[in-house]
Amino acid sequence: MTEIKRIKGGTDNCYVVTDGKSAILIDTASKPHIDKVIEECDKYEMKLIVLTHVHFDHAENAAELSKRYNIPVAIHKKDEELFESFDKQPLKSYGLVGCVVLGLSLKVLRNTKVERPENLIYVADGDDLSSYGINAKIIELPGHTFGSIGVDVEEKHFFVGDELDNWITPGVGHLYTDFDAIKKSADKIKSLGNRTIYYGHGKPTP
């Protein structure tokens, strides 16, 4: 039976998905919270890190954790340029919540370079993760970034990164590179049917 372990790093979430022995890590939190992530990951035989996108609050610990557990880091190819600079895909926002979050985030986003993991692999829509011990597949969700992805576990648990958020109430992610794309990705998530949604920011919801 698959278990989901939510790790809170400030306002951010990352998740260990495990069968009780093997596990994958979805996102990695930011540097101040790496000890909490390691504490949870050390309980399992880690097989893979999946980054829903390459922003510091999701990816900053990826290189170090990849070395520690000798495991690959999976991203979508379109997000690779974000290891060079956040400004490769600048963000916009909508609504009061989005304006506040973007205002608080911009300085850190621009001044934090995410280390590129040595063991990087690329995933795309429909890729199966069962070889890493978890019944899951990748779903492309462009909009927040060009290469944003989700992870669909057992067609029950869906990890959306920042394509949706739950800062106050669940909804389309408040920060985006392409607003039409993020709306289409939200519709794509909805079309999957009943899932528990696991956000990069906020508590999971049915």
Side-chain angles (χ1 to χ4, degrees):
M1 181 177 177
T2 299
E3 297 179 77
I4 313 295
K5 307 287 186 177
R6 178 187 177 205
I7 306 168
K8 294 179 63 179
T11 61
D12 314 319
N13 298 315
C14 59
Y15 301 91
V16 171
V17 183
T18 178
D19 64 1
K21 181 180 178 183
S22 300
I24 66 172
L25 178 66
I26 300 175
D27 290 333
T28 70
S30 54
K31 284 291 184 187
H33 308 289
I34 191 169
D35 289 343
K36 291 174 67 175
V37 180
I38 288 172
E39 181 181 2
E40 192 62 44
C41 288
D42 276 353
K43 299 175 184 177
Y44 307 102
E45 183 181 351
M46 300 305 299
K47 299 286 190 178
L48 177 70
I49 296 167
V50 179
L51 299 180
T52 60
H53 60 289
V54 181
H55 283 159
F56 81 97
D57 51 335
H58 296 257
E60 196 174 16
N61 294 318
E64 185 171 344
L65 294 171
S66 175
K67 291 176 185 175
R68 180 182 179 90
Y69 300 110
N70 191 27
I71 56 176
V73 177
I75 66 166
H76 193 282
K77 179 70 174 175
K78 288 183 178 179
D79 259 24
E80 186 174 15
E81 64 186 1
L82 291 173
F83 289 117
E84 298 176 34
S85 170
F86 155 77
D87 287 320
K88 294 285 186 178
Q89 298 181 29
L91 289 174
K92 300 175 183 178
S93 65
Y94 73 88
L96 178 60
V97 171
C99 288
V100 171
V101 172
L102 184 59
L104 293 172
S105 303
L106 273 179
K107 184 176 180 180
V108 183
L109 282 163
R110 286 179 174 147
N111 293 329
T112 305
K113 185 172 181 179
V114 178
E115 182 182 354
R116 187 184 189 280
E118 294 177 3
N119 193 358
L120 200 62
I121 63 173
Y122 305 108
V123 291
D125 203 51
D127 283 355
D128 186 357
L129 301 183
S130 59
S131 61
Y132 299 99
I134 301 297
N135 177 14
K137 67 178 181 179
I138 299 296
I139 305 291
E140 292 182 4
L141 300 173
H144 179 69
T145 64
F146 297 143
S148 288
I149 56 175
V151 184
D152 192 16
V153 177
E154 295 181 334
E155 298 185 347
K156 296 178 181 177
H157 312 282
F158 198 86
F159 298 83
V160 297
D162 287 355
E163 291 301 299
L164 307 179
D165 62 45
N166 190 17
W167 288 106
I168 298 175
T169 58
V172 177
H174 284 80
L175 308 185
Y176 59 88
T177 55
D178 183 324
F179 192 57
D180 287 339
I182 202 170
K183 289 193 294 182
K184 288 178 182 177
S185 290
D187 288 340
K188 187 175 184 179
I189 295 166
K190 186 176 180 180
S191 74
L192 295 173
N194 291 334
R195 301 285 195 279
T196 298
I197 301 296
Y198 298 84
Y199 307 90
H201 305 282
K203 295 179 180 179
T205 60

